C-alpha cells in the first residue's frame, strides 16, 4: 500500500468553468477522482452530457506521484489538447484529478499553438475558479472543558489558527481539533496552562485537514 503523503493539493469540489476563445466554447469539467475507474466513469459521464460537442478531450492524474496518468485529444491535432491539460494539472501540483475539456467549435481555427493555450488555460482557470485546497495529514485531538472556560479556549484557538473539527455540548463541552503530530505536546501544555489544571486528551486517527488556498503559488505549498 502506498504511504499517505503529509500534504497534497487538489480541488475544493467538482465543478465547471467556461472560456470563449474566438467563438469556440471551452467547457472544463473537473472532479476529484481517487482511482482510474472513477476517472474513466467521470470522463464517460461528461462525454455523454456533451455528446453534441465537437470534442471532449481529457486528462487525469491518479496517485500522489503521478502513478497513473492519461491524456486524450479526442480528434484534435495530436498533442494539442490532452497533453496540455495534463501538464497544467502537473504544473499546479494537483493530485487525484480528472479534467474533461469540451469544445464547441465556433468556426475560427486556432492553430496548434492556440489550441495548446486554450486547453491548458481552460484547466488552470477552472481549478482556480473552483478553488484549490491543501490537504494536510493531521491527528484528531479531543478534550473536554467546562462551559465557563469556552471563551478562553476559543480565543486561544483563533489566535493560533486552529480550527474546531467537532464540538459537542453535554455536561461539559467536548472539542476535537486537528493538529500536526509535532504540535500536540505543546498544544496540551498550552491548554493545561490556560485552564490551570490537568486536562485529559484523547489522540485519534489521522485525517486530512482541507485548507482553501488564497494564493496560487503552488510550488511553495
Amino acid at each position: 500500500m502506498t504511504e499517505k503523503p503529509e500534504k497534497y493539493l487538489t480541488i475544493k469540489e467538482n465543478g465547471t468553468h467556461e472560456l470563449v476563445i474566438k467563438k469556440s466554447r471551452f467547457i472544463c469539467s473537473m472532479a476529484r477522482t481517487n482511482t482510474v475507474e472513477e476517472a474513466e466513469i467521470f470522463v464517460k459521464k461528461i462525454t455523454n452530457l456533451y455528446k453534441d460537442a465537437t470534442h471532449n478531450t481529457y486528462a487525469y492524474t491518479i496517485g500522489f506521484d503521478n502513478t497513473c496518468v492519461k491524456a486524450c485529444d479526442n480528434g484534435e491535432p495530436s498533442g494539442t489538447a490532452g497533453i496540455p491539460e495534463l501538464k497544467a494539472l502537473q504544473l499546479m501540483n494537483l493530485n487525484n484529478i480528472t479534467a474533461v475539456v469540451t469544445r464547441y467549435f465556433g468556426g475560427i481555427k486556432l492553430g496548434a499553438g492556440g489550441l495548446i493555450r486554450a486547453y491548458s488555460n481552460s484547466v488552470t482557470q477552472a481549478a482556480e475558479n473552483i478553488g484549490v485546497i491543501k490537504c494536510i495529514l493531521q491527528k484528531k485531538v479531543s478534550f473536554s472543558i467546562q462551559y465557563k472556560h469556552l471563551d478562553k479556549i476559543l480565543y486561544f484557538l483563533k489566535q493560533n489558527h486552529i480550527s474546531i473539527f467537532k464540538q459537542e455540548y453535554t455536561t461539559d463541552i467536548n472539542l476535537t481539533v486537528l493538529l500536526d503530530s509535532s504540535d500536540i505536546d505543546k498544544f496540551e501544555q498550552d491548554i493545561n496552562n490556560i485552564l490551570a489544571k490537568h486536562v485529559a486528551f484523547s489522540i485519534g486517527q489521522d485525517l486530512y485537514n482541507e485548507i482553501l488556498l488564497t494564493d496560487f503559488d503552488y510550488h511553495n505549498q
Side-chain angles (χ1 to χ4, degrees), residues 116-133:
I116 290 171
R117 287 189 295 273
Y119 282 108
S120 176
N121 289 338
S122 291
V123 170
T124 301
Q125 291 187 28
E128 294 181 351
N129 182 68
I130 293 167
V132 175
I133 58 172

Side-chain angles (χ1 to χ4, degrees), residues 76-116:
E76 290 283 32
S78 179
T80 63
I83 292 298
E85 293 164 24
L86 179 60
K87 287 183 177 179
L89 294 175
Q90 292 173 329
L91 283 172
M92 288 185 286
N93 290 321
L94 298 180
N95 293 271
N96 290 352
I97 294 289
T98 299
V100 182
V101 182
T102 300
R103 183 189 184 191
Y104 286 92
F105 181 55
I108 300 175
K109 293 184 177 181
L110 301 182
L115 287 173
I116 290 171

Side-chain angles (χ1 to χ4, degrees), residues 88-200:
L89 294 175
Q90 292 173 329
L91 283 172
M92 288 185 286
N93 290 321
L94 298 180
N95 293 271
N96 290 352
I97 294 289
T98 299
V100 182
V101 182
T102 300
R103 183 189 184 191
Y104 286 92
F105 181 55
I108 300 175
K109 293 184 177 181
L110 301 182
L115 287 173
I116 290 171
R117 287 189 295 273
Y119 282 108
S120 176
N121 289 338
S122 291
V123 170
T124 301
Q125 291 187 28
E128 294 181 351
N129 182 68
I130 293 167
V132 175
I133 58 172
K134 180 194 291 186
C135 299
I136 304 175
L137 192 62
Q138 297 183 311
K139 284 192 176 294
K140 293 168 64 174
V141 178
S142 301
F143 60 102
S144 297
I145 60 171
Q146 296 178 349
Y147 281 80
K148 65 182 180 181
H149 297 311
L150 180 59
D151 288 342
K152 287 190 290 187
I153 296 302
L154 291 180
Y155 179 78
F156 168 78
L157 296 178
K158 183 178 180 180
Q159 290 297 107
N160 288 275
H161 308 289
I162 299 171
S163 57
I164 297 174
F165 176 74
K166 189 176 182 181
Q167 189 168 330
E168 295 178 327
Y169 294 90
T170 57
T171 306
D172 292 324
I173 301 175
N174 304 315
L175 299 174
T176 300
V177 298
L178 295 175
L179 297 170
D180 292 347
S181 295
S182 58
D183 294 334
I184 292 176
D185 287 345
K186 184 178 185 305
F187 176 81
E188 293 181 354
Q189 186 178 50
D190 288 340
I191 296 297
N192 286 328
N193 289 339
I194 291 170
L195 301 182
K197 60 180 291 188
H198 177 73
V199 177

